[in-house]
Amino acid sequence: MIPRPPILSTGLLSLLLGLASCSQEPLQPSLLVITLDTTRADYLSCYGSKRSRTPAMDGLAQSGVLFERTLASSAVTPVAHASIFTGLYGPGHGLRVLAGKGGDRLPSAATTLAEMCDQGGWDTAAVHSAFPVSRRFGLDQGFQHFDSFEGKARIDETGKTTWDVKNLQRRSDETVDRTLAWAAEAERPFMLWVHLWDPHDPTLTPPASFMQGVPQDGQGAYHPIRLYAREVEYLDLQIARLLKELRPLAGEAGLIVALTSDHGEGLEDGMARHGWGAHRMLYGEQINVPLILAGPGVPQLKRVTQLVRTVDLLPTLTQLLGLPTPGGIDGLDLAPLWEGSDAYRNAVGDLSPRAAYADQINGYDGNASMVRRRPDAAFQFVWVEYPWKLYWRPHQPESSELFNLAQDSTEEINLLATRPRIAHRLLSALAERKPWVTEPYGAPDDVDVEGALDALGYGGGSAADDPAGPQPYPWKWVSVSEALGLPAAAGDATLPIVTKD
Ligand SMILES: [Zn+2]
């Protein structure tokens, strides 16, 4: 949380901006951040999708910069969103799991983009489509208006606790309606986060008139992949409406638009390749996400091919908005990548290649009962130095993987045994970050969260099934070389693993 200078209260700032607006437009552009829940980059036509057409997002990309290779920090909704809005990976911001006291809430000490905009004089608001980005996870910090979901339990006549799912998610058309209602009354400049969720949920489908041609089975259920593709198209339709209505409201200073996803989804190809069709894993289908930027200060018709991360969004936006960028964050300003001219390179030297990090702490997440079906998914850490991707499983080192993404973009050929020096380099980089979680989190301090997440299909209600919650793993600290089964090397970092003996 940013301490507010005593003379710069919201009221005084609003008064000053209000006086300024009597004579001239504010100089600062407004900002719209759109996060698409559970939306893979390769389902947008500007990323090459043949299954879905997304003309609004394609048009946004043409009016700005599209980043072809963007990695999310996690495949769990609040964890990944916390990275987008702090510029920090999970170990830095502290929100690591969906359910677990001590790890399931963004600490108030975190500094968010909304807090910086709020302090800088922007009118801040968030309008959401589902519970996992609610106030409960600490993602409301800095928002003057926060359209959150509050889960309410209901006890039926048999004593069973149930959840009114309708109160925990909404379709994108309703979210956009609520956004535009807020924006009509907003002060300029405004900072707005819109979270859209349709592809996450197979029961909250677009209107029947939009679903014509999508095959259904005998029970009326839509074909899951065709439904997913059509839901992405429905998002696109709502984004078109949102952009058309919102741009005039930003005034002459203009509107910066940033669009990304928190994570992707395994779907049928992920199931075929890696045996998993949902999220909570870290293959490309789960963490390759779209990233598009457009508006004042952003060039048109650019595509950036270098590896970037969703943590890079915050420092890029603070630069565009003229706000100070917090020190010590993981993200880096993206502008040098789209500027990219020889003159720029000569001025600043070579651009440092970006490594990317992602994690899943499923083994200590009270909501991740999927680890019973996928024990290899309990603890996952990814380190990417393109083209190399290390997929490290410290509780099962022998099932870890190393991929060459340039030759194997679908991550099917494990080179861990045949490229030990590469594996050692990447695992050393990972170990030096010390991202490990070796103690279980406490039981969630509000059982309502468990019920709400289960109602949304988050995977099985482990707290109800196992009241004791996740159990400790028998960690043993070893050197990087020992973890990889290599001869001892001087200067090795250490890390925790679980051995079979
Ligand atoms: Zn999500």
Side-chain angles (χ1 to χ4, degrees):
M1 179 182 291
I2 302 176
R4 185 186 295 280
I7 59 168
L8 198 66
S9 70
T10 302
L12 178 58
L13 196 57
S14 301
L15 178 63
L16 292 172
L17 289 170
L19 290 172
S21 68
C22 294
S23 56
Q24 62 187 57
E25 283 281 324
L27 295 175
Q28 297 94 339
S30 293
L31 171 64
L32 168 64
V33 179
I34 303 172
T35 59
L36 311 176
D37 214 293
T38 322
T39 303
R40 286 167 46 159
D42 61 355
Y43 271 73
L44 275 57
S45 39
C46 50
Y47 282 85
S49 175
K50 299 283 189 280
R51 297 185 182 91
S52 41
R53 292 184 60 251
T54 52
M57 291 188 270
D58 299 353
L60 185 68
Q62 287 177 356
S63 70
V65 179
L66 179 150
F67 297 85
E68 294 183 354
R69 187 173 290 122
T70 305
L71 296 188
S73 66
S74 167
V76 167
T77 302
V79 179
H81 276 96
S83 289
I84 292 169
F85 288 106
T86 63
L88 290 163
Y89 293 122
H93 62 61
L95 175 47
R96 311 293 298 271
V97 294
L98 263 166
K101 188 175 183 181
D104 62 4
R105 201 182 301 260
L106 184 65
S108 61
T111 297
T112 66
L113 179 64
E115 286 177 300
M116 287 183 272
C117 288
D118 175 37
Q119 191 176 32
W122 274 256
D123 197 359
T124 56
V127 186
H128 291 159
S129 301
F131 178 72
V133 285
S134 67
R135 181 174 288 112
R136 195 265 168 218
F137 297 97
L139 296 169
D140 58 321
Q141 295 178 41
F143 288 106
Q144 297 154 30
H145 172 84
F146 194 78
D147 197 0
S148 187
F149 286 84
E150 308 295 339
K152 299 287 183 189
R154 185 172 65 84
I155 310 294
D156 69 15
E157 56 276 11
T158 67
K160 182 183 175 187
T161 302
T162 59
W163 295 85
D164 182 0
V165 177
K166 281 187 176 177
N167 284 335
L168 300 175
Q169 60 179 340
R170 60 173 72 100
R171 207 169 59 188
S172 53
D173 50 346
E174 185 186 348
T175 305
V176 169
D177 287 345
R178 296 168 76 101
T179 303
L180 294 175
W182 175 85
E185 307 292 330
E187 300 283 339
R188 286 199 292 259
F190 56 80
M191 179 272 182
L192 181 56
W193 167 25
V194 177
H195 165 258
L196 303 174
W197 159 271
D198 304 33
H200 187 282
D201 189 282
T203 63
L204 188 73
T205 58
S209 59
F210 195 79
M211 297 300 291
Q212 291 179 7
V214 179
Q216 293 170 275
D217 65 16
Q219 281 73 49
Y222 291 111
H223 181 278
I225 303 307
R226 298 282 298 278
L227 170 62
Y228 182 89
R230 190 61 62 91
E231 287 182 315
V232 173
E233 293 184 336
Y234 193 65
L235 286 185
D236 190 76
L237 186 71
Q238 300 307 322
I239 289 168
R241 188 162 69 94
L242 177 66
L243 293 176
K244 182 182 177 190
E245 300 287 328
L246 209 56
R247 279 187 168 126
L249 299 176
E252 292 181 12
L255 180 68
I256 295 170
V257 182
L259 181 144
T260 190
S261 300
D262 59 345
H263 54 79
E265 185 81 330
L267 301 179
E268 90 288 15
D269 52 339
M271 179 62 82
R273 288 194 291 266
H274 304 121
W276 196 247
H279 32 287
R280 281 199 179 278
M281 296 194 78
L282 299 174
Y283 293 106
E285 51 268 23
Q286 281 98 12
I287 60 170
N288 292 350
V289 294
L291 179 60
I292 299 171
L293 270 172
V298 183
Q300 298 185 348
L301 280 172
K302 288 267 186 183
R303 292 179 79 99
V304 169
T305 57
Q306 289 101 326
L307 173 72
V308 302
R309 306 79 49 91
T310 54
V311 291
D312 295 327
L313 190 55
L314 179 133
T316 306
L317 293 174
T318 54
Q319 287 288 315
L320 287 170
L321 295 173
L323 292 167
T325 299
I329 61 172
D330 295 308
L332 295 168
D333 184 10
L334 293 164
L337 298 180
W338 73 57
E339 289 167 357
S341 66
D342 290 343
Y344 184 88
R345 288 176 195 277
N346 290 339
V348 301
D350 288 337
L351 297 172
S352 300
R354 293 167 198 227
Y357 167 86
D359 67 29
Q360 285 295 136
I361 315 296
N362 296 331
Y364 289 153
D365 189 335
N367 189 256
S369 60
M370 58 86 77
V371 297
R372 293 182 202 141
R373 284 171 285 152
R374 286 295 299 250
D376 67 327
F379 297 91
Q380 305 166 67
F381 296 86
V382 155
W383 188 262
V384 180
E385 293 180 15
Y386 193 82
W388 298 101
K389 175 175 180 175
L390 176 70
Y391 198 132
W392 181 249
R393 295 171 165 91
H395 64 297
Q396 284 186 9
E398 68 284 357
S399 59
S400 298
E401 296 164 290
L402 178 71
F403 303 113
N404 183 332
L405 299 175
Q407 298 172 356
D408 174 28
S409 63
T410 51
E411 304 172 14
E412 295 174 86
I413 304 169
N414 184 4
L415 302 174
L416 192 74
T418 56
R419 304 303 296 267
R421 289 172 61 184
I422 301 288
H424 187 278
R425 175 161 62 84
L426 269 61
L427 185 58
S428 296
L430 188 61
E432 283 161 11
R433 291 189 68 90
K434 300 182 175 64
W436 324 112
V437 179
T438 54
E439 297 293 330
Y441 293 109
D445 54 10
D446 48 353
V447 294
D448 288 2
V449 172
E450 281 298 310
L453 294 169
D454 291 346
L456 289 166
Y458 263 93
S462 59
D465 297 338
D466 186 358
Q471 298 301 301
Y473 281 69
W475 300 107
K476 170 188 173 188
W477 287 79
V478 300
S479 70
V480 168
S481 295
E482 190 177 349
L484 290 167
L486 301 173
D492 258 4
T494 58
L495 73 166
I497 63 169
V498 174
T499 56
K500 286 182 174 171
D501 49 67

